[in-house]
Amino acid sequence: MKNKVLKVVKIGGKLIEDESKFAEFLNDFVALRGPKILVHGGGNLATEIAGKLGYKTQMFEGRRITDADSIKVITMVYGGLINKNIVAKLQILNENAIGLCGADGMSIVSKKRPVKEVDFGFVGDVEKINSEFINSLLEQNIMPVFSAISCTEEGVLLNTNGDSVAAEIAKAMSDIYETELYFCFEKKGVLANAENDDSVIQEITSEKYQELLEEKIISDGMLPKLHNSFQALESGVKNIFLGDFRLLNKESVYTKITD
Amino acid sequence: MKNKVLKVVKIGGKLIEDESKFAEFLNDFVALRGPKILVHGGGNLATEIAGKLGYKTQMFEGRRITDADSIKVITMVYGGLINKNIVAKLQILNENAIGLCGADGMSIVSKKRPVKEVDFGFVGDVEKINSEFINSLLEQNIMPVFSAISCTEEGVLLNTNGDSVAAEIAKAMSDIYETELYFCFEKKGVLANAENDDSVIQEITSEKYQELLEEKIISDGMLPKLHNSFQALESGVKNIFLGDFRLLNKESVYTKITD
């Protein structure tokens, strides 16, 4: 009997880098009642620090190639600097947070992305979420803050897409909880016109999603988020919301994904 | 009734940087039975990365001044890179480890070191260990791996001496467990002659400690470890051992601290 609602919230790196918006987000986040999980991205800080360290960031068709140097930087910046500072901020807001990556409790197990036309290096696709471990923390009112780093069965840390991590956690936890998934990013929601920030599509059903795909209305940046969302819905996630840093208080416009 | 023995093990940064010695240490560590906690230092990696980032490491009488840039690097390197890689290594040895700093669960609360002749910056002295939180993890067979970073009540992350962190954790946990404290570093133990690695003093009582102090036999580097050790003994820690990466299997020479 799933009576409790669990909220899984993904916050994008660009929002984390905007101090005032991020502070407002965190206040809304701690105000959410019931069990919750935060998943964060890293934004441009990793690239910036990699640059300072003299590491070249290789890209292929706009996608980062995570070489041995890059995964070190990502583990430092996402798993250390950003993650621990978010935890400290949440603690003084009386949220009993702990900062984790996929290696902690083997909570996010992944496989290295297979090499096709190009080897993306230390990049992982989620294979298994340790929902039992995560639930054991939640049941003690410990709130996990996850950086988007997963771990292989061989103990190799891998850079992993933050939206996918959030979606996979929400899917896995759906066996135990009624799960809601929130994607907080720099837009107010899914836009009908990428050029117009106010063209938010407020509700997207799977039917509507097919239309939008056929009409090629959805910008490339949004496609993975929507793909993750509908996959999550099919896997038992109850509600999915996309919006900006104000999404959690539901006072601004946002996109709701429903069947 | 304290029937369970808890082992708190501190490993120095130089050992972590020696891959084969560290691998041997980790094998002995996972072989230890019963609840345990690992505390690690960071060695020279933080200084090395700070240098690459173009940050100057300011020193005062041989002690590092932790400015705003330094604490960022320490949070990246100790709290992220080193901590998460240790956790991944332990997980594939079937040890259910999670990597924490003092902000996680507000487990290590500290105060900024007061400014006297010099301001050491973001350096903290431990005020309180959240033994209840740490015990709640241990009771679920979750093994905490702590980087030596503490957090103030105001949510500021502070660089903190790893030996002190280990000693303070051992002291605080002594209310619940029979606690043993292990300092694994690059020497075989406390040396009677700093020049001779084989001059290990195998047992030091508080009486013997006073003699050694008067005779100025103990090298400056060892003084804080011994000071921490006798403070910990007075605060209820049962046994304290100092030695190299082989200390845990007790097959090599080591120093035992006793009343």
Side-chain angles (χ1 to χ4, degrees):
Chain A
M1 168 58 182
K2 299 187 287 182
N3 47 4
K4 258 194 169 175
V5 175
L6 170 69
K7 297 182 176 74
V8 179
V9 181
K10 158 74 192 326
I11 177 150
K14 286 182 190 156
L15 281 190
I16 295 169
E17 287 167 4
D18 184 323
E19 219 172 284
S20 70
K21 284 182 180 175
F22 187 46
E24 196 174 328
F25 165 85
L26 286 178
N27 282 318
D28 291 339
F29 180 75
V30 298
L32 292 176
R33 297 182 57 203
K36 53 194 179 244
I37 294 169
L38 184 63
V39 178
H40 65 84
N44 306 320
L45 193 55
T47 314
E48 182 190 321
I49 286 178
K52 281 190 185 173
L53 287 167
Y55 300 154
K56 293 197 177 28
T57 302
Q58 297 164 276
M59 307 288 279
F60 178 81
E61 291 176 356
R63 286 182 295 173
R64 169 202 293 266
I65 293 173
T66 308
D67 60 12
D69 287 333
S70 306
I71 189 64
K72 276 185 194 166
V73 173
I74 282 160
T75 309
M76 289 195 290
V77 176
Y78 298 180
L81 186 60
I82 296 175
N83 186 264
K84 296 311 179 184
N85 277 289
I86 293 175
V87 168
K89 285 189 167 81
L90 285 168
Q91 283 290 345
I92 54 168
L93 295 171
N94 296 313
E95 189 70 56
N96 191 22
I98 64 170
L100 305 174
C101 78
D104 299 298
M106 280 305 244
S107 45
I108 309 166
V109 180
S110 65
K111 266 206 158 48
K112 185 180 180 301
R113 185 165 299 165
V115 178
K116 291 175 185 163
E117 61 208 308
V118 60
D119 182 358
F120 282 100
F122 293 87
V123 173
D125 298 306
V126 178
E127 288 263 302
K128 183 182 168 296
I129 298 292
N130 188 343
S131 52
E132 202 180 294
F133 168 76
I134 295 172
N135 192 44
S136 70
L137 298 176
L138 294 173
E139 282 184 334
Q140 290 175 88
N141 302 313
I142 298 172
M143 205 281 291
V145 178
F146 283 103
S147 61
I149 297 169
S150 59
C151 188
T152 70
E153 297 285 4
E154 296 73 38
V156 180
L157 298 175
L158 296 176
N159 185 15
T160 307
N161 177 280
D163 294 339
S164 309
V165 167
E168 293 297 333
I169 290 175
K171 282 155 66 173
M173 300 308 288
S174 294
D175 301 340
I176 312 168
Y177 296 88
E178 293 251 314
T179 312
E180 292 183 344
L181 180 56
Y182 295 79
F183 290 111
C184 301
F185 62 124
E186 60 276 16
K187 302 288 182 189
K188 288 187 179 138
V190 179
L191 303 178
N193 168 8
E195 306 307 306
N196 175 5
D197 279 355
D198 295 322
S199 65
V200 175
I201 307 168
Q202 300 203 19
E203 186 167 359
I204 302 179
T205 60
S206 35
E207 199 181 312
K208 173 91 174 172
Y209 179 44
Q210 291 312 320
E211 286 172 31
L212 294 168
L213 286 177
E214 283 150 22
E215 296 162 20
K216 301 200 175 357
I217 280 176
I218 301 164
S219 65
D220 296 352
M222 281 307 305
L223 285 172
K225 273 192 172 60
L226 281 177
H227 179 70
N228 279 322
S229 298
F230 279 99
Q231 267 202 335
L233 270 188
E234 286 161 20
S235 308
V237 175
K238 206 74 190 160
N239 295 307
I240 300 170
F241 306 93
L242 295 89
D244 66 7
F245 69 103
R246 290 204 167 93
L247 175 64
L248 298 181
N249 65 35
K250 300 271 178 71
E251 278 162 17
S252 59
V253 189
Y254 58 87
T255 299
K256 180 177 184 184
I257 309 280
T258 115
D259 264 341
Chain B
M1 168 57 182
K2 297 187 286 179
N3 45 7
K4 262 195 165 171
V5 175
L6 170 69
K7 298 180 173 76
V8 179
V9 181
K10 159 75 193 323
I11 177 148
K14 285 179 189 158
L15 282 189
I16 295 170
E17 287 166 4
D18 184 323
E19 220 171 284
S20 68
K21 285 182 180 175
F22 188 47
E24 196 174 329
F25 166 85
L26 287 178
N27 282 318
D28 292 339
F29 180 75
V30 298
L32 292 176
R33 297 182 59 206
K36 52 191 178 252
I37 294 169
L38 184 63
V39 179
H40 65 84
N44 306 320
L45 192 55
T47 315
E48 182 190 322
I49 287 178
K52 281 189 183 173
L53 287 167
Y55 301 154
K56 296 198 175 29
T57 303
Q58 297 164 276
M59 306 290 278
F60 178 80
E61 291 174 358
R63 286 182 293 173
R64 172 202 291 268
I65 293 175
T66 308
D67 60 11
D69 287 333
S70 307
I71 189 64
K72 277 184 193 168
V73 173
I74 281 160
T75 309
M76 289 196 291
V77 176
Y78 299 180
L81 187 60
I82 296 175
N83 186 264
K84 297 310 179 185
N85 277 289
I86 293 175
V87 168
K89 285 188 166 81
L90 286 168
Q91 283 290 343
I92 57 169
L93 295 171
N94 296 314
E95 188 71 56
N96 191 22
I98 64 170
L100 304 174
C101 78
D104 300 297
M106 280 305 246
S107 44
I108 310 164
V109 180
S110 65
K111 266 206 159 47
K112 185 181 180 301
R113 185 165 298 163
V115 178
K116 289 173 185 161
E117 63 212 300
V118 59
D119 181 358
F120 282 99
F122 293 88
V123 173
D125 298 306
V126 177
E127 287 265 302
K128 184 182 166 296
I129 299 292
N130 187 343
S131 52
E132 203 179 296
F133 168 77
I134 294 171
N135 192 43
S136 71
L137 298 175
L138 294 173
E139 283 185 334
Q140 290 177 89
N141 302 310
I142 297 172
M143 204 279 290
V145 178
F146 283 103
S147 61
I149 297 169
S150 59
C151 188
T152 70
E153 296 285 4
E154 296 73 37
V156 180
L157 298 174
L158 296 177
N159 185 15
T160 307
N161 178 279
D163 294 339
S164 309
V165 167
E168 292 297 334
I169 290 174
K171 282 155 66 172
M173 300 308 289
S174 295
D175 300 339
I176 312 169
Y177 296 88
E178 293 252 312
T179 311
E180 293 184 342
L181 180 57
Y182 295 78
F183 291 109
C184 301
F185 61 124
E186 59 278 15
K187 302 288 182 189
K188 287 183 179 147
V190 180
L191 304 178
N193 167 7
E195 307 306 308
N196 176 5
D197 279 354
D198 295 322
S199 63
V200 175
I201 307 168
Q202 300 202 20
E203 186 168 359
I204 303 179
T205 60
S206 35
E207 199 180 312
K208 174 90 174 169
Y209 178 46
Q210 291 311 319
E211 287 172 31
L212 293 167
L213 286 177
E214 283 152 20
E215 296 161 19
K216 301 203 177 355
I217 280 175
I218 300 164
S219 64
D220 294 352
M222 281 306 306
L223 285 174
K225 272 190 172 56
L226 282 177
H227 179 71
N228 279 321
S229 298
F230 280 100
Q231 266 201 335
L233 272 187
E234 287 161 20
S235 309
V237 176
K238 206 75 191 160
N239 295 307
I240 301 170
F241 306 93
L242 296 88
D244 66 8
F245 68 104
R246 289 203 168 92
L247 175 63
L248 298 181
N249 64 35
K250 299 269 178 71
E251 280 161 14
S252 58
V253 188
Y254 58 86
T255 299
K256 181 177 183 182
I257 309 280
T258 110
D259 262 341

